Amino acid sequence: MTRPLVTILDDEPEIRSLLADVLEEAGFDTLSFGRARAFEAALATHTPDVCLVDLSLPDTDGLTLVHRLALERGAIVIIISGRAQVQDRVTGLELGADDYIIKPFDPAEVVARIRARMRSVKPATRTGNVATFNGWTAHFERYTLEDEAGTETPFSHAEGEVLRLFLDAPKRLISRAQMQSSLGGGASESFDRAMDVRISRLRTKLREDPKNPQLIKTIYGAGYIFLGDVTWT
């Protein structure tokens, strides 16, 4: 059985070595990089399942890289950073990161967080990885939404998690607590804000009227309902 691949991008050699040792012992393969340039070059020949990214990089802005990874790659993106302020965490999640771990960290927690994120994106019981609904087709293998004219719009891994949640439970109320449980988040201001941003971006990509959305309806004080008719293939 193929071991999941985790890439580690951090300019501190001790942290790279520590994470690589712990992850490989836990059953993952790893590739480590101290510079973003080398990391991005490796993506041409490797497809990681999870990317661990430090924000304080010597040759690029970590947040810009996180955003690009979230939009262009299917990997889970987890920020590992010494920036502990709430606004940093909120910004990272808004830009598409799936999780945010603050340094110093317990290596066992990193392993647990990775496993939790990987569990959260395993497909539910269905026949395929493509969903059609109300003139749209969601391709989860390449992270795009396709309209009836064939025009494709990319969505991030984080946005895809939320879309999957809706498409797996159409016409059923999904509470904030259910979203936190399913997506591996804790009850916090940053998680709530990140969910609001992801849902807003999905509505924009689905060309919803922000004042009167027809697919993703907000039930104030309760959660959300997806009103589309969904078929998985």
Side-chain angles (χ1 to χ4, degrees):
M1 182 176 180
T2 303
R3 288 157 55 106
L5 175 62
V6 180
T7 55
I8 304 163
L9 176 56
D10 196 297
D11 66 341
E12 298 183 57
E14 299 83 1
I15 289 181
R16 296 199 303 270
S17 178
L18 172 63
L19 287 171
D21 289 345
V22 171
L23 288 167
E24 288 173 10
E25 185 176 343
F28 297 90
D29 286 333
T30 66
L31 291 172
S32 298
F33 307 90
R35 296 289 186 274
R37 187 175 294 106
F39 166 75
E40 293 190 273
L43 294 180
T45 54
H46 295 85
T47 303
D49 298 284
V50 180
C51 297
L52 301 180
V53 180
D54 182 23
L55 295 183
S56 300
L57 299 168
D59 60 341
T60 195
D61 173 58
L63 286 172
T64 299
L65 177 59
V66 165
H67 187 51
R68 190 159 66 248
L69 286 170
L71 288 176
E72 298 176 0
R73 311 292 300 189
I76 296 164
V77 181
I78 299 177
I79 293 171
I80 295 184
S81 175
R83 303 181 193 176
Q85 291 80 5
V86 170
Q87 187 55 51
D88 288 321
R89 301 199 300 272
V90 169
T91 301
L93 293 168
E94 285 181 346
L95 288 175
D98 297 280
D99 207 344
Y100 195 112
I101 299 173
I102 298 171
K103 296 177 181 178
F105 53 80
D106 184 331
E109 180 186 1
V110 177
V111 173
R113 295 274 196 105
I114 290 173
R115 286 176 171 162
R117 301 309 302 178
M118 293 186 72
R119 284 196 300 270
S120 74
V121 299
K122 285 183 178 178
T125 301
R126 61 174 74 99
T127 58
N129 211 28
V130 177
T132 56
F133 56 93
N134 299 71
W136 291 95
T137 303
H139 300 274
F140 285 95
E141 77 284 358
R142 62 178 187 263
Y143 290 83
T144 61
L145 280 167
E146 181 182 358
D147 66 13
E148 290 179 297
T151 302
E152 294 193 353
T153 302
F155 56 84
S156 71
H157 181 275
E159 292 162 355
E161 283 190 315
V162 178
L163 182 59
R164 264 192 200 273
L165 196 60
F166 288 139
L167 297 181
D168 278 337
K171 300 178 182 177
R172 289 163 46 192
L173 176 69
I174 300 176
S175 69
R176 287 276 183 159
Q178 287 173 309
M179 295 181 80
Q180 289 165 355
S181 175
S182 297
L183 301 180
S188 67
E189 176 186 348
S190 59
F191 180 86
D192 286 345
R193 175 90 172 271
M195 289 303 101
D196 290 340
V197 169
R198 293 177 196 181
I199 290 169
S200 175
R201 287 178 176 169
L202 283 174
R203 282 172 170 160
T204 297
K205 291 175 182 182
L206 291 168
R207 301 169 195 160
E208 293 256 71
D209 178 353
K211 296 181 179 179
N212 186 30
Q214 298 300 303
L215 281 174
I216 305 174
K217 301 287 284 188
T218 300
I219 309 301
Y220 291 100
Y224 301 92
I225 292 179
F226 185 84
L227 295 178
D229 295 312
V230 183
T231 301
W232 286 94
T233 57

Short mmCIF file of all heavy atoms in Angstrom, two decimals, residues 123 126-133 136-146 155 164 167-168 230-233:
data_model
loop_
_atom_site.label_atom_id
_atom_site.label_comp_id
_atom_site.label_asym_id
_atom_site.label_seq_id
_atom_site.Cartn_x
_atom_site.Cartn_y
_atom_site.Cartn_z
N PRO A 123 -13.79 10.20 0.56
CA PRO A 123 -15.12 10.27 0.02
C PRO A 123 -16.09 9.41 0.80
O PRO A 123 -15.76 8.32 1.24
CB PRO A 123 -14.97 9.75 -1.42
CG PRO A 123 -13.59 9.27 -1.58
CD PRO A 123 -12.82 9.60 -0.34
N ARG A 126 -20.21 6.54 -2.31
CA ARG A 126 -20.78 7.05 -3.54
C ARG A 126 -20.10 6.30 -4.69
O ARG A 126 -19.11 5.62 -4.50
CB ARG A 126 -20.55 8.56 -3.68
CG ARG A 126 -19.10 8.96 -3.69
CD ARG A 126 -18.96 10.44 -3.97
NE ARG A 126 -19.33 11.23 -2.83
CZ ARG A 126 -18.46 11.74 -1.98
NH1 ARG A 126 -17.17 11.50 -2.12
NH2 ARG A 126 -18.86 12.48 -0.97
N THR A 127 -20.64 6.45 -5.89
CA THR A 127 -20.11 5.68 -7.02
C THR A 127 -18.96 6.38 -7.73
O THR A 127 -18.26 5.77 -8.51
CB THR A 127 -21.23 5.40 -8.04
OG1 THR A 127 -21.78 6.67 -8.47
CG2 THR A 127 -22.34 4.57 -7.41
N GLY A 128 -18.77 7.66 -7.50
CA GLY A 128 -17.72 8.37 -8.21
C GLY A 128 -17.26 9.60 -7.48
O GLY A 128 -17.56 9.81 -6.31
N ASN A 129 -16.52 10.43 -8.21
CA ASN A 129 -15.91 11.62 -7.63
C ASN A 129 -16.34 12.88 -8.38
O ASN A 129 -15.69 13.91 -8.28
CB ASN A 129 -14.38 11.49 -7.67
CG ASN A 129 -13.73 12.21 -6.52
OD1 ASN A 129 -14.30 12.38 -5.46
ND2 ASN A 129 -12.50 12.66 -6.75
N VAL A 130 -17.45 12.77 -9.10
CA VAL A 130 -18.00 13.89 -9.86
C VAL A 130 -19.47 14.06 -9.47
O VAL A 130 -20.23 13.09 -9.46
CB VAL A 130 -17.88 13.66 -11.38
CG1 VAL A 130 -18.53 14.79 -12.16
CG2 VAL A 130 -16.42 13.48 -11.78
N ALA A 131 -19.86 15.28 -9.13
CA ALA A 131 -21.24 15.55 -8.73
C ALA A 131 -21.87 16.55 -9.69
O ALA A 131 -21.24 17.55 -10.04
CB ALA A 131 -21.29 16.10 -7.31
N THR A 132 -23.09 16.28 -10.13
CA THR A 132 -23.84 17.22 -10.96
C THR A 132 -25.03 17.74 -10.18
O THR A 132 -25.68 17.00 -9.44
CB THR A 132 -24.31 16.57 -12.26
OG1 THR A 132 -25.09 15.40 -11.95
CG2 THR A 132 -23.13 16.15 -13.11
N PHE A 133 -25.31 19.04 -10.35
CA PHE A 133 -26.44 19.65 -9.64
C PHE A 133 -26.79 20.98 -10.31
O PHE A 133 -25.93 21.79 -10.59
CB PHE A 133 -26.08 19.90 -8.17
CG PHE A 133 -24.86 20.75 -7.96
CD1 PHE A 133 -24.95 22.13 -7.79
CD2 PHE A 133 -23.58 20.18 -7.96
CE1 PHE A 133 -23.81 22.91 -7.61
CE2 PHE A 133 -22.44 20.96 -7.79
CZ PHE A 133 -22.55 22.33 -7.62
N TRP A 136 -24.60 22.53 -12.89
CA TRP A 136 -23.18 22.55 -12.53
C TRP A 136 -22.64 21.12 -12.41
O TRP A 136 -23.36 20.20 -12.07
CB TRP A 136 -22.97 23.26 -11.21
CG TRP A 136 -23.22 24.73 -11.26
CD1 TRP A 136 -24.38 25.37 -10.93
CD2 TRP A 136 -22.30 25.74 -11.67
NE1 TRP A 136 -24.24 26.72 -11.12
CE2 TRP A 136 -22.98 26.98 -11.56
CE3 TRP A 136 -20.98 25.72 -12.11
CZ2 TRP A 136 -22.37 28.18 -11.89
CZ3 TRP A 136 -20.37 26.92 -12.42
CH2 TRP A 136 -21.06 28.14 -12.32
N THR A 137 -21.34 20.98 -12.67
CA THR A 137 -20.63 19.73 -12.43
C THR A 137 -19.40 20.03 -11.58
O THR A 137 -18.58 20.89 -11.96
CB THR A 137 -20.19 19.06 -13.74
OG1 THR A 137 -21.34 18.84 -14.56
CG2 THR A 137 -19.51 17.72 -13.46
N ALA A 138 -19.29 19.38 -10.45
CA ALA A 138 -18.13 19.55 -9.57
C ALA A 138 -17.19 18.37 -9.78
O ALA A 138 -17.57 17.22 -9.56
CB ALA A 138 -18.57 19.61 -8.11
N HIS A 139 -15.97 18.66 -10.24
CA HIS A 139 -14.95 17.64 -10.47
C HIS A 139 -13.97 17.69 -9.30
O HIS A 139 -13.08 18.54 -9.26
CB HIS A 139 -14.21 17.91 -11.78
CG HIS A 139 -15.08 17.91 -12.99
ND1 HIS A 139 -15.40 16.75 -13.68
CD2 HIS A 139 -15.71 18.93 -13.64
CE1 HIS A 139 -16.18 17.05 -14.72
NE2 HIS A 139 -16.39 18.36 -14.70
N PHE A 140 -14.10 16.76 -8.37
CA PHE A 140 -13.26 16.81 -7.18
C PHE A 140 -11.86 16.25 -7.44
O PHE A 140 -10.94 16.51 -6.67
CB PHE A 140 -13.93 16.08 -6.02
CG PHE A 140 -15.05 16.85 -5.42
CD1 PHE A 140 -16.36 16.63 -5.83
CD2 PHE A 140 -14.82 17.82 -4.46
CE1 PHE A 140 -17.40 17.36 -5.29
CE2 PHE A 140 -15.85 18.56 -3.91
CZ PHE A 140 -17.15 18.33 -4.33
N GLU A 141 -11.69 15.50 -8.53
CA GLU A 141 -10.36 14.99 -8.82
C GLU A 141 -9.45 16.09 -9.36
O GLU A 141 -8.23 16.00 -9.26
CB GLU A 141 -10.42 13.80 -9.80
CG GLU A 141 -10.65 14.17 -11.26
CD GLU A 141 -12.09 14.56 -11.58
OE1 GLU A 141 -12.95 14.51 -10.67
OE2 GLU A 141 -12.36 14.91 -12.75
N ARG A 142 -10.04 17.15 -9.93
CA ARG A 142 -9.22 18.26 -10.42
C ARG A 142 -9.65 19.61 -9.83
O ARG A 142 -9.18 20.66 -10.28
CB ARG A 142 -9.22 18.32 -11.94
CG ARG A 142 -10.55 18.55 -12.63
CD ARG A 142 -10.34 18.62 -14.14
NE ARG A 142 -11.52 19.00 -14.89
CZ ARG A 142 -12.35 18.16 -15.48
NH1 ARG A 142 -12.13 16.86 -15.39
NH2 ARG A 142 -13.40 18.60 -16.16
N TYR A 143 -10.54 19.58 -8.88
CA TYR A 143 -10.93 20.77 -8.12
C TYR A 143 -11.43 21.90 -9.02
O TYR A 143 -10.94 23.02 -8.98
CB TYR A 143 -9.76 21.26 -7.24
CG TYR A 143 -9.48 20.31 -6.09
CD1 TYR A 143 -8.70 19.18 -6.28
CD2 TYR A 143 -10.02 20.55 -4.83
CE1 TYR A 143 -8.46 18.29 -5.24
CE2 TYR A 143 -9.78 19.66 -3.77
CZ TYR A 143 -9.01 18.54 -3.99
OH TYR A 143 -8.79 17.65 -2.97
N THR A 144 -12.46 21.58 -9.83
CA THR A 144 -13.06 22.61 -10.68
C THR A 144 -14.57 22.47 -10.68
O THR A 144 -15.12 21.38 -10.52
CB THR A 144 -12.57 22.51 -12.14
OG1 THR A 144 -12.92 21.23 -12.69
CG2 THR A 144 -11.08 22.73 -12.25
N LEU A 145 -15.24 23.61 -10.88
CA LEU A 145 -16.67 23.66 -11.14
C LEU A 145 -16.88 23.94 -12.61
O LEU A 145 -16.28 24.89 -13.16
CB LEU A 145 -17.33 24.77 -10.30
CG LEU A 145 -17.64 24.46 -8.84
CD1 LEU A 145 -17.97 25.76 -8.12
CD2 LEU A 145 -18.79 23.48 -8.72
N GLU A 146 -17.72 23.16 -13.27
CA GLU A 146 -17.97 23.33 -14.70
C GLU A 146 -19.43 23.72 -14.91
O GLU A 146 -20.34 23.06 -14.40
CB GLU A 146 -17.65 22.04 -15.45
CG GLU A 146 -17.86 22.11 -16.95
CD GLU A 146 -17.57 20.78 -17.63
OE1 GLU A 146 -17.16 19.83 -16.93
OE2 GLU A 146 -17.76 20.70 -18.86
N PHE A 155 -11.66 25.65 -7.66
CA PHE A 155 -11.91 25.91 -6.25
C PHE A 155 -10.79 25.30 -5.43
O PHE A 155 -10.12 24.36 -5.88
CB PHE A 155 -13.29 25.40 -5.79
CG PHE A 155 -13.56 23.93 -6.03
CD1 PHE A 155 -13.13 22.96 -5.14
CD2 PHE A 155 -14.30 23.52 -7.14
CE1 PHE A 155 -13.39 21.61 -5.34
CE2 PHE A 155 -14.57 22.17 -7.36
CZ PHE A 155 -14.11 21.22 -6.45
N ARG A 164 -18.19 19.48 -0.69
CA ARG A 164 -18.47 18.05 -0.51
C ARG A 164 -19.49 17.82 0.61
O ARG A 164 -20.40 17.00 0.48
CB ARG A 164 -17.18 17.30 -0.13
CG ARG A 164 -16.45 16.64 -1.26
CD ARG A 164 -15.38 15.73 -0.67
NE ARG A 164 -14.35 15.42 -1.63
CZ ARG A 164 -14.40 14.42 -2.50
NH1 ARG A 164 -15.47 13.66 -2.56
NH2 ARG A 164 -13.39 14.20 -3.32
N LEU A 167 -22.84 18.68 -0.76
CA LEU A 167 -23.30 17.76 -1.80
C LEU A 167 -23.59 16.36 -1.27
O LEU A 167 -24.36 15.61 -1.86
CB LEU A 167 -22.28 17.69 -2.93
CG LEU A 167 -22.02 19.00 -3.69
CD1 LEU A 167 -20.99 18.78 -4.79
CD2 LEU A 167 -23.31 19.56 -4.26
N ASP A 168 -22.97 16.00 -0.15
CA ASP A 168 -23.24 14.70 0.47
C ASP A 168 -24.54 14.71 1.28
O ASP A 168 -25.05 13.65 1.64
CB ASP A 168 -22.09 14.30 1.40
CG ASP A 168 -20.92 13.68 0.65
OD1 ASP A 168 -21.14 13.17 -0.47
OD2 ASP A 168 -19.79 13.70 1.17
N VAL A 230 -28.71 16.60 -6.37
CA VAL A 230 -27.32 16.14 -6.58
C VAL A 230 -27.29 14.71 -7.09
O VAL A 230 -28.00 13.83 -6.57
CB VAL A 230 -26.51 16.24 -5.27
CG1 VAL A 230 -25.06 15.82 -5.52
CG2 VAL A 230 -26.57 17.65 -4.71
N THR A 231 -26.46 14.48 -8.11
CA THR A 231 -26.20 13.13 -8.62
C THR A 231 -24.70 12.91 -8.65
O THR A 231 -23.95 13.73 -9.23
CB THR A 231 -26.77 12.94 -10.03
OG1 THR A 231 -28.18 13.18 -10.01
CG2 THR A 231 -26.51 11.51 -10.53
N TRP A 232 -24.23 11.81 -8.05
CA TRP A 232 -22.81 11.46 -8.07
C TRP A 232 -22.53 10.42 -9.16
O TRP A 232 -23.31 9.48 -9.34
CB TRP A 232 -22.38 10.87 -6.73
CG TRP A 232 -22.24 11.89 -5.63
CD1 TRP A 232 -23.19 12.24 -4.71
CD2 TRP A 232 -21.09 12.69 -5.36
NE1 TRP A 232 -22.71 13.23 -3.88
CE2 TRP A 232 -21.42 13.51 -4.23
CE3 TRP A 232 -19.84 12.80 -5.92
CZ2 TRP A 232 -20.51 14.43 -3.70
CZ3 TRP A 232 -18.94 13.71 -5.39
CH2 TRP A 232 -19.28 14.51 -4.29
N THR A 233 -21.45 10.61 -9.89
CA THR A 233 -21.09 9.63 -10.93
C THR A 233 -19.61 9.31 -10.83
O THR A 233 -18.86 10.01 -10.15
CB THR A 233 -21.37 10.19 -12.34
OG1 THR A 233 -20.67 11.41 -12.52
CG2 THR A 233 -22.86 10.40 -12.53
#
